[in-house]
C-alpha cells in the first residue's frame, strides 16, 4: 500500500509539473519529484511515468520535461545519473524530433536536450564531479591530477559543457523581444525558469575553468594555449552578458542572487592573477515566493454558497422591498461601502496570515526534510557502526581464543612447576640421605681407628682398609659435590622458569579479565545488533511485500505491452502494404519528375538559342552600326562569359549524375546564354570603332562563338548526345574574343605588371604631396588675403579659403584612410605572395586605383589654382565651383576603387566611408560659400567705400544714377 501510494503521488506530481500549459514549473511539484528520488534512491518511478508522456505532440511539454529532468539531475539522488544514462536514446530522439521542426519551443528543446546529454556524459566520465557541480578545490586538483594531457582534456570538456549552457541562455534571450516581453508574464517565465539551473551550473564551470587554465599555463608555454585563451575570453564575454541581462529582470531578482563577474577576464600570463580571482557564488533564497494560491487554508465553497444570499440581502437593504417605500439610500450605500472596505481589509489580513502560515509550513517542511536527511545519514552511520562492531566482535573472539590458549599454557606451566617441586623434594631427601651416610662413615672411621689402637696385630690390614675407606669417602665426596652442583643449577633454572611462568600466568589472568569485560560489552552490543537485525528483518519483509506488489504491476504492464506489440505487428503489416503502394507511386512520380526536369531543360535550351540567335543577328543588323563599346567593357563581358562556362560544366555534370535535379544546369545555362550574347553584342559594338583588320577578325570570332554555342545547345536537346556535350570549342572562341579585346585596349595602359605595385605607391605618395602642397598654398593665400584685402572682400575670401582649407583637410584624411585600407586589403588577400605579385594579379583594380589617385591629385591642384585666381580677381567663381565638384567626384572614384576588394566588416572601410561623406559635405560647403560670396560681392560691391576718395565716391554715385535712369527707359524686348 505504501509503495502504490508513493507511486500515485509521484504520478500526480509529474503530471502537474509537466503539462502543456505555457507557465513555469511550480517549485513544490518539482520538490516532491526530487524527494521521491531520495526515497527510492533512484529515478525509476520518474522515468516509468516520463516515458509515457506524449513528448512528440507538444513542444511546451518537452520543454518542461527537460526543465524537470535538469532539476532532478542537479538535486536528486546520486543514483539518478545512472538511471538517466539508460534513457539517453529517449532524450536524444526527443531533441532530434524537435530540431527538425520550425517551432520556437522546438528549437529550444533541441538545444536543451544536447545540454542534458552533455551533462550526463560529463558526470558519468568524471564521477568525482556530482551533477550539482559542487566540489572543493582539493577534489578538483585530485581529479585533474598532474598529467598535462589529462588537465588539457578536462579543460576542453569543461569548455564544451559551458558552451552548451551559454547556447541555451542565448537562444532563450534571442526569442524574447526585450522591448515587448515582461518577465512577469507566464509565457516569458516558462522560458526563463530553466535559466536558474543554468546560472548555477555556469558559476561553477567558470570557476573550475579559471583554475585549470592557470594550472595549464604553469605547465605549458603561452603560445600553445592561445586557442584556449581565445575560447575562454569569448565565453567570458557571453557569460558576463548573460548574467547582466538576467540581473536586470525582475523575475530573477526574487528567485536567485546572480554573482557579478569582473570587468575583464583573468590574465593567465601572470601567475599572481590567480590570487585576484574571486569564486562567483550563487545564492538561492531560503523562502522563494511561489506564484500560487494557498491550498485548503480558506474554505472557498462556503464563501461561494453564501455569496448569493449576501447579495440578495444587500439588494433588499439597499433598494428595500420590491414595492416598498424608498429609504435613505445614500446612507445605506455609505454603510455598505464601509462594510466592503472592512471585509476587504479582513480578507487582506487573512491572506497575510495564510501566507505566513504557508511560510511556516514551508519552513517546517524544510526542517523535516533536513531531519529525514539526518535520519538517513544516522541510519547509514549505524550500518557502518554495525560493520565495525562485527569486526570488533570477530577481533574479540580471536582474543578470547588467544586467552583460552594462554590459560591452557598456564595450566601446563603449573603442572610443570608442581613436577619440578616434587623432583626438588626428592633430590633434597636424597641429599639428606647422603649426609647421613657420610656421618655414619665418619663414625665407622672413628671406631676403626679405635680398633687399630686396640689391635696392633692387624695394623697393616687396618691401614689398607683405611686407605680404601678414605678413597671411597673421597670419591663419595666428589660425587656428592658434583650432584649438589648439578642440583643447584637445576634448582636455579627451575626457579627462573617458575618466575617466568608466574609472570605469564599473571598476564594471562589480566588479559582474561579484560576479555571478560570486553565479552560483557560485546554481549550487550550483540543484543543491540540482534534487535536492530530484527528491525531490519521486518523492513526487509515489508520491502518484499512491496516488491511482490511491484511484480504484479510489472506483470500487468508486460501483458499490456504484449497486447500492444501484437497490435503494433498488425499495424506494421498494414504499413508495409501501404509502403509498397507508396513505393510504386514514388517510382511513377520519379519518372514524371525526370520528364518534367528534362522538359524544363529543353525550354531553357530553346530560350537560350533564341537569345544567342538574336545576338548573332545583330552582327549583320545595319541599325546596330551606331552602337559602340570599349575594349575594356568587352574584356570584362568576355571574361564573365568564360567564367560562366565553369558553372555550366559543373551543372551539366550534376544533371548527368542525377537527372532528377536540373536546377543547377538551368540556372548556369541561362547565365551562360545572357553573358555570351552580351559578349557577342559588345564585340560587334567594339568593332565599329576598331581598325578594319581587327574589326573583321572580331566580327568573325563573335560569329564563330555564337555558332559554337548554338552547336553545344543543340547537343543538349537530344538525350543521346546530352551526356557527351562539351564546351571546349565555346571556350576557345571566347578566348579568341578576349585576345582581340586585349589587343584593342589603349597602349597607355600596357604597364608591366611588376611595376604596378610601385606605381600605386608612387601615385598615392604624389597625391598626398599634392594635398599637402595645396594645404600650404591655401594657408599662404589666406595670409596674403588678410594683408591685401579688407571689408567685404576680406570676409568673403576668408570664408571661401577656410572652406577650401577644411575640404583639403578632409581629402588628406580620406587619402590616408584609403592608403590604410589598401594595405589591409593587400595583407589579407596576398597570402604567401608579395605585394607586387598581388597588385600584378589584380591589375585592373590596381589601374583603377592609379587613375583615381591621379584624378584626386589633379583636382586638388586645379582647385588651388582656381581659388588663387578668384582671390586675385583674375578668375571666376564658377571655376571654383566646378573644381569642387570635380574633386568630390575624384574622391568618390577613389573610394569606389578601394571598396571593391575590402571586406564589409573592415573598420578601415567604415572610416573611409565616413571620410567620403565628410569630403562631400566639405565640397558642398565650398560651393555654398563660393555662391554666397559671389552674391555678396555682386550686391555690396557698390557699397564698399573703404578704398574710395570723396571724388571717386561722387563719381560712382553719378554713374549708378545714370545706369538706373537708363534702365528705366529700356524696352521690354531687350530682355530677350
Amino acid at each position: 500500500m505504501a509503495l502504490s501510494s508513493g507511486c500515485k503521488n509521484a504520478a500526480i506530481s509529474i503530471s502537474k509539473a509537466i503539462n502543456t500549459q505555457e507557465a513555469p514549473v511550480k517549485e513544490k511539484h518539482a520538490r516532491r519529484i526530487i524527494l521521491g528520488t531520495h526515497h527510492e534512491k533512484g529515478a525509476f518511478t520518474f522515468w516509468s511515468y516520463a516515458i509515457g508522456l506524449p513528448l512528440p505532440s507538444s513542444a511546451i511539454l518537452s520543454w518542461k520535461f527537460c526543465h524537470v529532468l535538469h532539476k532532478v539531475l542537479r538535486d536528486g539522488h546520486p543514483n539518478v545519473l545512472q538511471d538517466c544514462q539508460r534513457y539517453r536514446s529517449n532524450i536524444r530522439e526527443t531533441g532530434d524530433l524537435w530540431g527538425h521542426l520550425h517551432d520556437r519551443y522546438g528549437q529550444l528543446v533541441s538545444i536543451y536536450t544536447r545540454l542534458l546529454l552533455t551533462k550526463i556524459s560529463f558526470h558519468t566520465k568524471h564521477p568525482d564531479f556530482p551533477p550539482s557541480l559542487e566540489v572543493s578545490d582539493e577534489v578538483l586538483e585530485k581529479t585533474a591530477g598532474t598529467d598535462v594531457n589529462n588537465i588539457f582534456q578536462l579543460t576542453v570538456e569543461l569548455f564544451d559543457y559551458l558552451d552548451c549552457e551559454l547556447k541555451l541562455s542565448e537562444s532563450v534571450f534571442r526569442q524574447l523581444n526585450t522591448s515587448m516581453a515582461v518577465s512577469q508574464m507566464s509565457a516569458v517565465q516558462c522560458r526563463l525558469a530553466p535559466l536558474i539551473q543554468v546560472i548555477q551550473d555556469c558559476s561553477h564551470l567558470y570557476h573550475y575553468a579559471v583554475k585549470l587554465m592557470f594550472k595549464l599555463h604553469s605547465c605549458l608555454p603561452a603560445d600553445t594555449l592561445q586557442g584556449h585563451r581565445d575560447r575562454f575570453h569569448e565565453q567570458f564575454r557571453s557569460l558576463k552578458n548573460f548574467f547582466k541581462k538576467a540581473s536586470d529582470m525582475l523575475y530573477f531578482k526574487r528567485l536567485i542572487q546572480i554573482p557579478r563577474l569582473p570587468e575583464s577576464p583573468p590574465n593567465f600570463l601572470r601567475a599572481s592573477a590567480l590570487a585576484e580571482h574571486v569564486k562567483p557564488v550563487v545564492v538561492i533564497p531560503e523562502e522563494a515566493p511561489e506564484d500560487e494560491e494557498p491550498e485548503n487554508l480558506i474554505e472557498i465553497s462556503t464563501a461561494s454558497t453564501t455569496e448569493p444570499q449576501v447579495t440578495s440581502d444587500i439588494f433588499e437593504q439597499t433598494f428595500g422591498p420590491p414595492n416598498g417605500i424608498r429609504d435613505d439610500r445614500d446612507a445605506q450605500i455609505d454603510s455598505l461601502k464601509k462594510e466592503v472596505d472592512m471585509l476587504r481589509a479582513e480578507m487582506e489580513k487573512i491572506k497575510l496570515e495564510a501566507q505566513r502560515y504557508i511560510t511556516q509550513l514551508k519552513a517546517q517542511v524544510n526542517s523535516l526534510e533536513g531531519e529525514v536527511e539526518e535520519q538517513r545519514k544516522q541510519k547509514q552511520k549505524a550500518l557502518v557502526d554495525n560493520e565495525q562492531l562485527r569486526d570488533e566482535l570477530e577481533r574479540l573472539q580471536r582474543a578470547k581464543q588467544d586467552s583460552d590458549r594462554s590459560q591452557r599454557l598456564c595450566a601446563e606451566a603449573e603442572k610443570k612447576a608442581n613436577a619440578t617441586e616434587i623432583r626438588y623434594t626428592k633430590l633434597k631427601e636424597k641429599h639428606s640421605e647422603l649426609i647421613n651416610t657420610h656421618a655414619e662413615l665418619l663414625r665407622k672411621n672413628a671406631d676403626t681407628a679405635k680398633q687399630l689402637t686396640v689391635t696392633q696385630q692387624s695394623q697393616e690390614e687396618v691401614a689398607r682398609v683405611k686407605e680404601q675407606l678414605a678413597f671411597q669417602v673421597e670419591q663419595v665426596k666428589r660425587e656428592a659435590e658434583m650432584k649438589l652442583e648439578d642440583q643447584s643449577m637445576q634448582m636455579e633454572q627451575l626457579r627462573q622458569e617458575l618466575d617466568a611462568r608466574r609472570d605469564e600466568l599473571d598476564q594471562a589472568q589480566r588479559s582474561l579479565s579484560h576479555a571478560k569485560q570486553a565479552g560483557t560489552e560485546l554481549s550487550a552490543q550483540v543484543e543491540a545488533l540482534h534487535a536492530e537485525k530484527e528491525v531490519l528483518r521486518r523492513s526487509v519483509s515489508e520491502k518484499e511485500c512491496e516488491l511482490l506488489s511491484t511484480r504484479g504491476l510489472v506483470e500487468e504492464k508486460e501483458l499490456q505491452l504484449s497486447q500492444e506489440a501484437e497490435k503494433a505487428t498488425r499495424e506494421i503489416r498494414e504499413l508495409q502494404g501501404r509502403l509498397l503502394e507508396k513505393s510504386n507511386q514514388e517510382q511513377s512520380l520519379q519518372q514524371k519528375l525526370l520528364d518534367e526536369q528534362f522538359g524544363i531543360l529543353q525550354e531553357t535550351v530553346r530560350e537560350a538559342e533564341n537569345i544567342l540567335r538574336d545576338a548573332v543577328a545583330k552582327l549583320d543588323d545595319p541599325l546596330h552600326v551606331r552602337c559602340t563599346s570599349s575594349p575594356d567593357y568587352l574584356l570584362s563581358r568576355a571574361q564573365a562569359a568564360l567564367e560562366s562556362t565553369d558553372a555550366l560544366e559543373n551543372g551539366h555534370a550534376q544533371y548527368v549524375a542525377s537527372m532528377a535535379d536540373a536546377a543547377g544546369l538551368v540556372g548556369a545555362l541561362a547565365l551562360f546564354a545572357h553573358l555570351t550574347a552580351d559578349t557577342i553584342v559588345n564585340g560587334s559594338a567594339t568593332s565599329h570603332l576598331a581598325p578594319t583588320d581587327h574589326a573583321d577578325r572580331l566580327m568573325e570570332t563573335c560569329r564563330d562563338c555564337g555558332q559554337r554555342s548554338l552547336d553545344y545547345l543543340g547537343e543538349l536537346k537530344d538525350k543521346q548526345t546530352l551526356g557527351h556535350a562539351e564546351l571546349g570549342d565555346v571556350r576557345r572562341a571566347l578566348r579568341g574574343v578576349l585576345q582581340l579585346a586585349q589587343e584593342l585596349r589603349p597602349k597607355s595602359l600596357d604597364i608591366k605588371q611588376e611595376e604596378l605595385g610601385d606605381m600605386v605607391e608612387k601615385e598615392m605618395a604624389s597625391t598626398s604631396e599634392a594635398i599637402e602642397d595645396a594645404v600650404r598654398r591655401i594657408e599662404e593665400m589666406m595670409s596674403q588675403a588678410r594683408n591685401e584685402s579688407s571689408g567685404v572682400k576680406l570676409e568673403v575670401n576668408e570664408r571661401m579659403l577656410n572652406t577650401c582649407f577644411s575640404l583639403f583637410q578632409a581629402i588628406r584624411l580620406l587619402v590616408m584612410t584609403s592608403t590604410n585600407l589598401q594595405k589591409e586589403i593587400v595583407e589579407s588577400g596576398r597570402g604567401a605572395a608579395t605585394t607586387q605579385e598581388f597588385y600584378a594579379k589584380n591589375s585592373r583594380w590596381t589601374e583603377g586605383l592609379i587613375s583615381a589617385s591621379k584624378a584626386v591629385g589633379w583636382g586638388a591642384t586645379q582647385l588651388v589654382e582656381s581659388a588663387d585666381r578668384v582671390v586675385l580677381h583674375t578668375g571666376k567663381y564658377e571655376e571654383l565651383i566646378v573644381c569642387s565638384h570635380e574633386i568630390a567626384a575624384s574622391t568618390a572614384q577613389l573610394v569606389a576603387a578601394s571598396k571593391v576588394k575590402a571586406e564589409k566588416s573592415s573598420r578601415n572601410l567604415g572610416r573611409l566611408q565616413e571620410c567620403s561623406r565628410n569630403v562631400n559635405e566639405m565640397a558642398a560647403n565650398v560651393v555654398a560659400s563660393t555662391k554666397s560670396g559671389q552674391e555678396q560681392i555682386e550686391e555690396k560691391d557698390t557699397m564698399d567705400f573703404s578704398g574710395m576718395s570723396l571724388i571717386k565716391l561722387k563719381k560712382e554715385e553719378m554713374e549708378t544714377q545714370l545706369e538706373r535712369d537708363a534702365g528705366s527707359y529700356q524696352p521690354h524686348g531687350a530682355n530677350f
Side-chain angles (χ1 to χ4, degrees):
M1 291 296 292
L3 180 62
S4 61
S5 177
C7 294
K8 184 177 179 181
N9 293 332
I12 293 173
S13 298
I14 292 172
S15 62
K16 288 183 177 180
I18 307 174
N19 52 44
T20 56
Q21 296 179 1
E22 194 172 6
V25 177
K26 291 187 177 180
E27 187 65 26
K28 65 175 185 178
H29 302 319
R31 185 167 58 248
R32 289 171 184 168
I33 297 171
I34 293 169
L35 288 175
T37 62
H38 286 282
H39 287 316
E40 68 176 9
K41 295 180 174 56
F44 175 76
T45 303
F46 171 77
W47 278 109
S48 63
Y49 286 98
I51 290 177
L53 293 173
L55 298 181
S57 63
S58 173
I60 299 177
L61 190 71
S62 302
W63 174 251
K64 299 177 81 169
F65 162 73
C66 293
H67 183 195
V68 174
L69 179 58
H70 196 173
K71 293 177 73 69
V72 169
L73 275 172
R74 276 190 55 84
D75 304 327
H77 193 271
N79 293 336
V80 170
L81 185 62
Q82 285 76 17
D83 294 337
C84 293
Q85 180 69 18
R86 291 192 289 270
Y87 293 95
R88 284 174 57 89
S89 59
N90 300 84
I91 301 173
R92 185 182 293 107
E93 289 173 1
T94 303
D96 294 342
L97 171 66
W98 289 109
H100 293 105
L101 301 177
H102 298 288
D103 184 87
R104 294 174 67 83
Y105 270 104
Q107 298 300 320
L108 295 179
V109 170
S110 177
I111 297 171
Y112 209 162
T113 53
R114 285 199 291 272
L115 168 60
L116 293 175
L117 291 173
T118 304
K119 187 178 186 68
I120 294 171
S121 301
F122 179 83
H123 294 292
T124 304
K125 184 176 180 181
H126 303 286
D128 293 334
F129 286 91
S132 62
L133 287 169
E134 295 180 359
V135 295
S136 61
D137 292 341
E138 291 78 11
V139 176
L140 178 64
E141 292 288 337
K142 179 182 176 183
T143 305
T146 56
D147 189 358
V148 179
N149 295 324
N150 293 337
I151 301 173
F152 194 92
Q153 182 63 27
L154 181 59
T155 307
V156 172
E157 293 175 0
L158 284 176
F159 283 165
D160 295 340
Y161 198 165
L162 187 56
D163 278 337
C164 294
E165 301 275 1
L166 294 174
K167 187 174 182 182
L168 177 61
S169 65
E170 291 172 358
S171 301
V172 170
F173 282 120
R174 193 182 301 115
Q175 287 195 8
L176 296 178
N177 185 358
T178 55
S179 62
M180 298 294 292
V182 180
S183 61
Q184 297 303 310
M185 297 171 60
S186 60
V188 177
Q189 292 179 0
C190 183
R191 289 181 171 88
L192 293 177
L195 297 187
I196 296 176
Q197 284 71 44
V198 174
I199 292 171
Q200 292 175 308
D201 289 346
C202 287
S203 64
H204 294 294
L205 291 173
Y206 168 76
H207 175 64
Y208 302 149
V210 171
K211 288 282 187 180
L212 293 179
M213 282 291 287
F214 274 110
K215 192 168 185 179
L216 276 177
H217 279 78
S218 64
C219 302
L220 295 175
D223 295 340
T224 307
L225 300 173
Q226 182 62 42
H228 274 48
R229 287 197 299 276
D230 295 341
R231 188 175 182 185
F232 177 82
H233 291 165
E234 183 178 354
Q235 289 181 346
F236 176 82
R237 289 191 294 271
S238 179
L239 182 61
K240 186 175 178 62
N241 188 23
F242 168 41
F243 279 3
K244 185 178 183 302
K245 287 182 180 178
S247 300
D248 295 337
M249 287 191 172
L250 183 61
Y251 175 72
F252 290 112
K253 290 182 179 179
R254 64 189 185 90
L255 295 177
I256 187 172
Q257 183 177 342
I258 302 173
R260 290 184 177 274
L261 295 181
E263 293 298 328
S264 59
N267 185 6
F268 299 112
L269 302 178
R270 184 167 55 89
S272 60
L274 178 59
E276 303 171 2
H277 169 66
V278 179
K279 179 180 179 181
V281 179
V282 177
V283 179
I284 302 293
E286 294 182 358
E287 298 182 0
E290 296 184 2
D291 297 329
E292 57 182 358
E293 295 295 329
E295 297 181 359
N296 299 329
L297 295 178
I298 302 173
E299 190 65 34
I300 304 299
S301 61
T302 305
S304 63
T305 56
T306 59
E307 184 178 358
Q309 183 66 31
V310 172
T311 305
S312 63
D313 294 342
I314 293 172
F315 183 84
E316 290 180 1
Q317 292 175 4
T318 306
F319 299 101
N323 296 321
I325 302 172
R326 295 184 62 181
D327 299 328
D328 190 5
R329 296 177 181 177
D330 293 336
Q332 293 181 0
I333 289 172
D334 294 336
S335 64
L336 288 175
K337 285 183 178 179
K338 292 179 181 179
E339 290 180 3
V340 168
D341 293 336
M342 292 172 62
L343 290 173
R344 187 175 294 135
E346 291 179 359
M347 182 63 70
E348 292 294 330
K349 188 184 296 181
I350 291 171
K351 285 184 178 180
L352 291 174
E353 292 178 357
Q355 192 66 32
R356 285 197 298 271
Y357 186 60
I358 288 172
T359 305
Q360 293 175 0
L361 288 177
K362 287 181 180 178
Q364 292 178 4
V365 168
N366 292 332
S367 63
L368 289 174
E369 289 177 355
E371 291 177 1
V372 168
E373 186 66 21
E374 186 67 25
Q375 292 291 335
R376 186 184 65 79
K377 292 181 179 178
Q378 289 180 359
K379 183 179 179 182
Q380 199 72 20
K381 184 178 180 182
L383 293 175
V384 174
D385 293 340
N386 189 10
E387 293 294 330
Q388 293 179 353
L389 288 173
R390 285 179 182 174
D391 297 338
E392 185 69 20
L393 179 60
E394 292 178 357
R395 188 178 62 79
L396 290 175
Q397 286 177 354
R398 289 195 297 271
K400 187 176 181 182
Q401 292 175 359
D402 294 339
S403 65
D404 294 338
R405 191 180 300 110
S406 64
Q407 285 180 357
R408 288 195 298 271
L409 292 174
C410 183
E412 292 177 357
E414 287 180 354
K415 289 179 181 179
K416 288 182 180 180
N418 293 330
T420 304
E421 288 180 356
I422 294 170
R423 186 177 176 187
Y424 176 72
T425 305
K426 289 181 180 180
L427 288 174
K428 189 175 182 181
E429 290 175 354
K430 193 172 182 181
H431 180 66
S432 61
E433 288 178 358
L434 289 173
I435 292 172
N436 293 330
T437 304
H438 181 65
E440 186 178 355
L441 288 174
L442 290 174
R443 284 195 299 273
K444 286 182 180 181
N445 189 13
D447 292 339
T448 304
K450 290 177 181 179
Q451 289 177 4
L452 284 174
T453 58
V454 175
T455 59
Q456 295 178 351
Q457 298 151 350
S458 58
Q459 189 175 4
E460 294 179 356
E461 185 178 356
V462 171
R464 189 171 57 253
V465 171
K466 186 178 181 181
E467 291 177 357
Q468 291 178 354
L469 288 173
F471 178 75
Q472 290 179 355
V473 169
E474 197 65 35
Q475 188 175 1
V476 168
K477 284 182 179 180
R478 285 197 298 270
E479 290 178 355
E481 289 176 355
M482 292 175 64
K483 288 181 180 180
L484 284 173
E485 289 178 359
D486 293 338
Q487 288 176 359
S488 62
M489 291 175 63
Q490 290 179 358
M491 287 296 292
E492 189 65 27
Q493 291 177 356
L494 288 174
R495 284 195 189 95
Q496 292 176 357
E497 290 180 359
L498 184 60
D499 294 337
R501 295 298 179 184
R502 285 175 181 171
D503 294 337
E504 291 178 357
L505 182 61
D506 294 338
Q507 187 176 1
Q509 288 177 353
R510 286 194 299 272
S511 62
L512 182 60
S513 63
H514 290 308
K516 287 180 180 179
Q517 293 177 359
T520 305
E521 295 176 358
L522 282 176
S523 62
Q525 293 178 357
V526 167
E527 290 177 359
L529 289 174
H530 281 307
E532 188 176 356
K533 182 179 179 182
E534 188 65 26
V535 173
L536 292 174
R537 186 182 292 109
R538 286 196 296 272
S539 64
V540 168
S541 62
E542 293 176 358
K543 292 294 182 181
E544 287 178 353
C545 295
E546 294 176 358
L547 183 61
L548 290 174
S549 62
T550 306
R551 286 178 179 173
L553 293 174
V554 170
E555 289 176 357
E556 293 178 1
K557 291 291 183 181
E558 289 178 352
L559 181 60
Q560 293 178 0
L561 288 173
S562 62
Q563 294 175 357
E564 291 178 357
E566 293 176 357
K567 183 179 178 181
T569 305
R570 291 194 298 271
E571 291 178 353
I572 288 171
R573 292 196 188 96
E574 294 177 359
L575 290 174
Q576 286 177 349
R578 295 178 184 176
L579 182 62
L580 183 60
E581 294 177 0
K582 291 290 184 182
S583 62
N584 295 331
Q585 293 178 1
E586 185 178 357
Q587 290 178 359
S588 61
L589 290 174
Q590 185 71 21
Q591 185 61 38
K592 185 178 179 181
L593 176 63
L594 293 175
D595 296 339
E596 289 178 354
Q597 292 293 318
F598 186 73
I600 292 171
L601 176 62
Q602 295 309 309
E603 290 294 331
T604 306
V605 169
R606 282 192 289 272
E607 187 64 27
E609 286 180 340
N610 293 333
I611 293 171
L612 289 172
R613 287 195 183 97
D614 181 64
V616 172
K618 283 185 171 58
L619 295 175
D620 301 323
D621 190 357
L623 298 176
H624 192 255
V625 175
R626 292 181 175 272
C627 296
T628 59
S629 181
S630 65
D632 288 333
Y633 187 70
L634 175 60
L635 190 66
S636 64
R637 294 293 86 199
Q639 184 65 36
L642 186 61
E643 292 175 355
S644 68
T645 57
D646 297 332
L648 180 59
E649 189 173 13
N650 293 332
H652 179 261
Q654 291 176 3
Y655 180 71
V656 171
S658 175
M659 292 190 175
D661 184 12
L665 180 57
V666 167
L669 194 58
L671 178 64
F672 167 74
H674 283 288
L675 292 176
T676 306
D678 197 10
T679 302
I680 294 171
V681 172
N682 282 282
S684 175
T686 304
S687 67
H688 297 157
L689 297 177
T692 305
D693 186 21
H694 285 84
D696 294 340
R697 288 167 56 196
L698 185 57
M699 291 286 286
E700 291 299 325
T701 305
C702 290
R703 186 176 283 107
D704 181 61
C705 179
Q707 186 59 42
R708 298 297 182 187
S709 300
L710 290 172
D711 294 341
Y712 174 75
L713 294 176
E715 292 178 355
L716 294 180
K717 295 172 71 174
D718 189 1
K719 287 186 178 181
Q720 302 296 329
T721 60
L722 188 144
H724 305 290
E726 293 184 357
L727 288 165
D729 296 337
V730 178
R731 285 196 179 99
R732 281 191 291 273
L734 288 172
R735 290 193 184 99
V737 175
L738 273 172
Q739 184 177 359
L740 289 172
Q742 190 69 32
E743 292 176 359
L744 291 172
R745 292 182 68 194
K747 300 303 180 181
S748 59
L749 297 177
D750 295 337
I751 305 170
K752 292 184 179 180
Q753 292 185 347
E754 58 270 10
E755 297 177 356
L756 285 174
D758 296 335
M759 193 169 182
V760 169
E761 295 177 358
K762 290 178 181 178
E763 288 298 332
M764 294 302 293
S766 62
T767 302
S768 299
E769 291 176 359
I771 298 298
E772 294 292 338
D773 184 63
V775 170
R776 181 178 53 77
R777 290 183 61 186
I778 288 292
E779 292 176 350
E780 293 176 355
M781 289 164 60
M782 290 173 65
S783 61
Q784 184 178 359
R786 291 190 187 99
N787 296 329
E788 297 179 358
S789 302
S790 61
V792 177
K793 292 183 179 180
L794 177 60
E795 180 184 354
V796 170
N797 291 337
E798 282 187 345
R799 185 168 63 248
M800 181 178 62
L801 292 176
N802 283 330
T803 54
C804 291
F805 183 78
S806 299
L807 174 60
F808 282 121
Q809 292 287 350
I811 294 171
R812 180 169 60 182
L813 183 60
L814 182 138
V815 171
M816 293 171 60
T817 308
S818 175
T819 304
N820 295 332
L821 179 60
Q822 291 167 22
K823 292 179 181 178
E824 179 182 335
I825 293 170
V826 173
E827 290 298 325
S828 62
R830 68 186 180 88
T834 61
T835 304
Q836 306 297 332
E837 292 174 352
F838 177 79
Y839 281 123
K841 182 180 178 182
N842 301 274
S843 58
R844 299 192 64 194
W845 174 70
T846 305
E847 291 170 0
L849 284 177
I850 294 170
S851 176
S853 178
K854 286 182 177 180
V856 171
W858 179 83
T861 305
Q862 292 298 319
L863 181 63
V864 171
E865 292 178 355
S866 299
D868 191 12
R869 288 194 295 271
V870 169
V871 170
L872 297 176
H873 305 289
T874 59
K876 297 181 179 180
Y877 288 96
E878 288 77 6
E879 294 180 1
L880 187 59
I881 294 172
V882 171
C883 290
S884 300
H885 288 305
E886 286 292 336
I887 197 166
S890 301
T891 54
Q893 181 183 356
L894 181 61
V895 172
S898 301
K899 284 172 58 179
V900 171
K901 291 190 173 295
E903 297 181 357
K904 294 182 179 180
S905 60
S906 175
R907 293 184 179 179
N908 287 323
L909 178 59
R911 296 193 190 99
L912 183 63
Q913 292 173 343
E914 182 66 26
C915 292
S916 177
R917 288 191 290 270
N918 192 18
V919 168
N920 291 333
E921 184 179 354
M922 294 298 106
N925 291 339
V926 172
V927 173
S929 64
T930 303
K931 290 182 177 179
S932 174
Q934 183 180 5
E935 293 174 358
Q936 191 172 0
I937 290 295
E938 290 177 353
E939 291 176 359
K940 298 184 178 181
D941 190 21
T942 57
M943 300 299 294
D944 189 3
F945 309 123
S946 59
M948 294 184 181
S949 61
L950 182 58
I951 298 173
K952 289 184 179 181
L953 183 59
K954 290 291 184 180
K955 182 180 178 182
E956 289 291 335
E957 183 180 356
M958 293 174 66
E959 289 178 356
T960 304
Q961 184 65 33
L962 290 172
E963 288 176 359
R964 189 181 296 114
D965 293 339
S968 61
Y969 292 103
Q970 185 179 2
H972 294 286
N975 294 329
F976 299 93

